[in-house]
Amino acid sequence: MLIRGFLTALTLNLSLSSSAALAVTVNSLPTAALVPGGVAVLATGTPAVTAEFRRERVMLADFQGAQYAVVGIPLDARPGAHEVILKTADGTAVPLSFTVTDKQYVEQRLTITNERQVNPNNEDMVRINRESAEMNAAFASWDETQEPVMQMRAPTEGPRSSSFGLRRFFNDQPRAPHSGMDIAAPEGTPIHAPAPGVIRATGNYFFNGNTIILDHGHGLITLYCHMNTIDVSPGTRVAAGDQIGKVGQTGRVTGPHLHWSINLNNVRVDPALFITE
Ligand SMILES: [Zn+2]
């Protein structure tokens, strides 16, 4: 046990950045949900300078005088005990445990008329792999210059036609679970930044269509897909409420809507946990 603890501390010293980041103060926290696709909001107890979960850096925030780790739980997380590793100012690694409860997400079956969007050809796959590398790089961004906002308004008005986590079948073939929230709205409906941030990437992607990745700092990054127009460019700093684009039906869709994802420590989590009405 002693040896194992020592090794863990040593590994963390090597893998975590040497810049001792201070936690930021926030005036709200997301709704906690200790389920796959949810968010753990954990009082650290020990003041930490950095934290990681599954080798990804985790947000630390001070709220009402106490420090919290705000942790995205992946959809593929197993029910049971999980550990965030806190690192204190003197370099000690302190495990912080939490328990994930099972959640059964329901099935959704969709029919896509463009067969290539269900079974892409080799040429498509080259494009898809290049695009996912580009998007993954943006999702891995860590920006400490911004103040994270833990609660947001929905980015566009409309009924939420499909909820997060649905186990999806396209033309009866199983595909990745739904990693965001769909908001149905007519083509051309404005989409607004739900919180301040920096546009990290934009593109026209095979599945996602016209897409924006918006970085709110500290590992909190939002994704907007299937847009008609993209009204911003990479590097642009936006304020909450700024128009960033319009609802469309580009990419793999069955009709006009906004697909909105929230990424926290590089994990897609349920956007509903961040929405204030
Ligand atoms: Zn969607």
Side-chain angles (χ1 to χ4, degrees), residues 168 178 181-182 226 257 259:
R168 280 194 152 170
H178 190 228
M181 170 187 279
D182 287 346
H226 312 308
H257 73 282
H259 171 100

Side-chain angles (χ1 to χ4, degrees), residues 33-37 73 77-82 98-104:
L34 293 166
V35 297
I73 305 169
R78 298 252 173 124
H82 291 263
F98 63 99
T99 304
V100 172
T101 334
D102 198 12
K103 178 169 180 178
Q104 289 299 321

Side-chain angles (χ1 to χ4, degrees), residues 245-266:
K246 296 183 199 77
V247 172
Q249 44 184 333
T250 53
R252 185 174 61 186
V253 293
T254 56
H257 73 282
L258 172 67
H259 171 100
W260 184 44
S261 284
I262 296 189
N263 298 264
L264 186 60
N265 49 271
N266 211 355

Side-chain angles (χ1 to χ4, degrees), residues 201-265:
T202 65
N204 177 268
Y205 300 128
F206 187 83
F207 292 122
N208 291 342
N210 287 333
T211 298
I212 292 175
I213 297 177
L214 176 53
D215 188 348
H216 306 283
H218 302 261
L220 181 72
I221 295 162
T222 51
L223 170 76
Y224 307 78
C225 301
H226 312 308
M227 302 170 83
N228 177 336
T229 60
I230 295 171
D231 301 345
V232 286
S233 40
T236 306
R237 198 168 279 273
V238 295
D242 284 358
Q243 184 171 324
I244 57 174
K246 296 183 199 77
V247 172
Q249 44 184 333
T250 53
R252 185 174 61 186
V253 293
T254 56
H257 73 282
L258 172 67
H259 171 100
W260 184 44
S261 284
I262 296 189
N263 298 264
L264 186 60
N265 49 271

Side-chain angles (χ1 to χ4, degrees), residues 8-10 12-13 49 86-94:
T8 308
L10 190 70
L12 277 167
N13 274 328
V49 287
L86 306 173
K87 191 185 171 196
T88 62
D90 66 3
T92 311
V94 181

Side-chain angles (χ1 to χ4, degrees), residues 8-67:
T8 308
L10 190 70
T11 312
L12 277 167
N13 274 328
L14 293 172
S15 64
L16 286 178
S17 135
S18 55
S19 66
L22 294 175
V24 290
T25 301
V26 293
N27 50 25
S28 60
L29 289 169
T31 307
L34 293 166
V35 297
V39 174
V41 180
L42 311 166
T44 60
T46 317
V49 287
T50 53
E52 21 174 84
F53 179 55
R54 305 217 313 191
R55 295 171 188 242
E56 295 284 346
R57 193 159 171 188
V58 157
M59 183 190 291
L60 291 172
D62 289 335
F63 176 70
Q64 295 183 346
Q67 187 188 47

